[in-house]
């Protein structure tokens, strides 16, 4: 019978932010797979946990992942931990989870600390709908595509960033979203010098130029305002009449009634308005 892979969330700063269940599982499993054995070793020593450690990170995830799956299949119970927070979020743990599922190895998650959710709740931005982008891609082509999508994203956006790249990332965001876009910079979450700065991208750029950013950052940005989207839509359709708009759909083989319905939806007007324009 195979063992179980436990995804154990660990503190993102304050060591008290670990669950009793996580502490029990870390003591009971046969092996702990850690992103950095030195970092996790400090945590385990703090809680007097002596379970054997092995490394599992983005540089060995393929070969080590297969090795861990083989051990799980032989009955070994393994806990997966990241340096801080929940495994598999901006972390190679997602690869191991996929391998376990493919090999019918049981996987369960022990919920706990997560920088994205912590920052979102502290940001003062809308929490009803949001997207998590993690770190912006380092590949230029991939990054351009992500930024292109963010430009029209109406939901709150959450990003991670390292201090030495903060200024450059803020500049990129300003060029893409505009300096007036609202942003909250969350630094050193749950730690002694936790800082939450509610501002705009332009003001954040100015502040970053005057200081030496330190500590890991979570950036929470307002989505594109509905009013701005509506204004762009009206500007776009001002250049084409309703009749021509309907005709363009009909030219694609769409029946008139469906074309009228599509135009009404695209312009944010009623079908009666479309009908009146055609008359």
């Amino acid at each position: 019978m195979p063992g179980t892979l436990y995804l154990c969330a660990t503190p993102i700063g304050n060591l008290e932010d670990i669950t009793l269940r996580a502490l029990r599982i870390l003591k009971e499993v046969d092996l702990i797979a850690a992103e950095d054995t030195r970092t996790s070793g400090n945590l385990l020593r703090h809680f007097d946990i002596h379970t054997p450690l092995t490394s599992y990170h983005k540089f060995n995830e393929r070969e080590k992942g297969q090795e861990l799956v083989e051990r799980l299949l032989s009955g070994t119970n393994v806990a997966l931990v990241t340096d801080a927070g929940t495994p598999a979020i901006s972390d190679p743990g997602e690869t191991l989870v996929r391998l376990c599922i493919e090999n019918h190895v049981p996987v369960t998650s022990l919920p706990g600390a997560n920088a994205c959710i912590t920052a979102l709740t502290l940001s003062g931005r809308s929490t009803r709908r949001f997207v998590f982008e993690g770190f912006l891609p380092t590949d230029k082509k991939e990054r351009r595509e992500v930024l292109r999508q963010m430009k029209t994203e109406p939901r709150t956006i959450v990003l991670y960033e390292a201090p030495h790249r903060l200024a450059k990332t803020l500049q990129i965001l300003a060029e893409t979203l505009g300096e007036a876009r609202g942003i909250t910079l969350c630094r050193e979450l749950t730690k002694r010098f936790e800082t939450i700065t509610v501002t705009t991208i332009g003001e954040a750029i100015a502040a970053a130029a005057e200081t030496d950013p330190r500590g890991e950052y979570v950036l929470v940005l307002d989505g594109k305002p509905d009013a701005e989207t509506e204004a762009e839509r009206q500007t776009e359709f001002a250049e084409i009449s309703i009749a021509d708009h309907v005709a363009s759909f009909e030219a694609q083989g769409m029946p008139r009634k469906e074309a009228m319905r599509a135009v009404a939806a695209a312009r944010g007007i009623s079908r009666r308005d479309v009908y009146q324009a055609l008359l």
Side-chain angles (χ1 to χ4, degrees):
M1 187 172 179
T4 298
L5 176 67
Y6 295 90
L7 307 178
C8 290
T10 53
I12 59 176
N14 194 312
L15 291 180
E16 294 180 358
D17 294 333
I18 190 166
T19 68
L20 294 175
R21 183 184 175 206
L23 290 174
R24 176 176 62 81
I25 291 298
L26 290 173
K27 290 178 181 178
E28 292 179 354
V29 292
D30 304 298
L31 182 67
I32 297 172
E35 182 179 10
D36 187 324
T37 55
R38 293 166 302 179
T39 301
S40 297
N42 292 333
L43 175 72
L44 298 180
R45 281 191 292 275
H46 180 83
F47 289 107
D48 196 28
I49 297 173
H50 305 285
T51 306
L53 271 173
T54 188
S55 64
Y56 175 76
H57 46 71
K58 65 179 180 179
F59 301 110
N60 72 353
E61 60 180 319
R62 182 171 299 181
E63 55 186 39
K64 195 56 174 283
Q66 194 58 53
E67 178 187 322
L68 288 171
V69 167
E70 290 172 4
R71 296 189 66 167
L72 284 157
L73 286 170
S74 70
T76 301
N77 289 313
V78 178
L80 178 66
V81 296
T82 184
D83 284 352
T86 301
I89 301 297
S90 290
D91 176 78
E94 65 175 297
T95 305
L96 182 57
V97 171
R98 194 156 48 242
L99 271 174
C100 286
I101 291 172
E102 291 171 356
N103 287 275
H104 308 290
V105 172
V107 181
T108 190
S109 182
L110 282 60
N114 178 276
C116 170
I117 299 302
T118 303
L120 184 66
T121 58
L122 290 172
S123 68
R125 310 290 169 189
S126 173
T127 61
R128 191 176 72 85
R129 299 171 68 228
F130 68 94
V131 291
F132 173 64
E133 289 291 349
F135 291 95
L136 287 177
T138 54
D139 179 78
K140 289 184 178 180
K141 183 178 180 181
E142 188 180 355
R143 186 170 64 231
R144 276 198 303 270
E145 177 57 23
V146 170
L147 291 168
R148 184 190 66 77
Q149 294 174 15
M150 286 174 56
K151 193 171 184 179
T152 56
E153 176 57 65
R155 295 167 292 184
T156 301
I157 303 166
V158 184
L159 297 171
Y160 287 166
E161 195 48 277
H164 65 278
R165 290 196 301 263
L166 179 64
K168 182 178 180 180
T169 296
L170 289 172
Q171 191 59 52
I172 291 172
L173 293 174
E175 293 167 1
T176 305
L177 308 177
E179 293 190 1
R181 182 71 65 92
I183 184 172
T184 300
L185 284 74
C186 303
R187 171 182 166 274
E188 295 288 82
L189 288 169
T190 77
K191 299 178 183 178
R192 181 181 178 185
F193 297 107
E194 175 181 276
T195 306
I196 311 299
T197 307
V198 182
T199 183
T200 64
I201 294 177
E203 291 173 347
I205 290 173
E210 296 175 359
T211 59
D212 180 21
R214 295 187 180 184
E216 298 301 312
Y217 281 82
V218 183
L219 312 179
V220 185
L221 297 117
D222 282 334
K224 187 173 185 179
D226 291 338
E228 187 178 322
T229 302
E230 179 62 25
E232 287 182 1
R233 182 168 61 180
Q234 294 305 324
T235 300
E236 176 187 349
F237 293 134
E239 300 175 1
I240 180 174
S241 69
I242 291 177
D244 287 342
H245 202 172
V246 172
S248 70
F249 281 113
E250 289 179 317
Q252 300 171 34
M254 190 179 288
R256 169 154 286 217
K257 283 189 176 181
E258 287 186 28
M260 292 171 64
R261 190 178 297 115
V263 169
R267 290 175 174 260
I269 59 179
S270 68
R271 275 180 286 174
R272 177 180 289 275
D273 291 335
V274 176
Y275 178 76
Q276 291 294 331
L278 293 177
L279 290 178

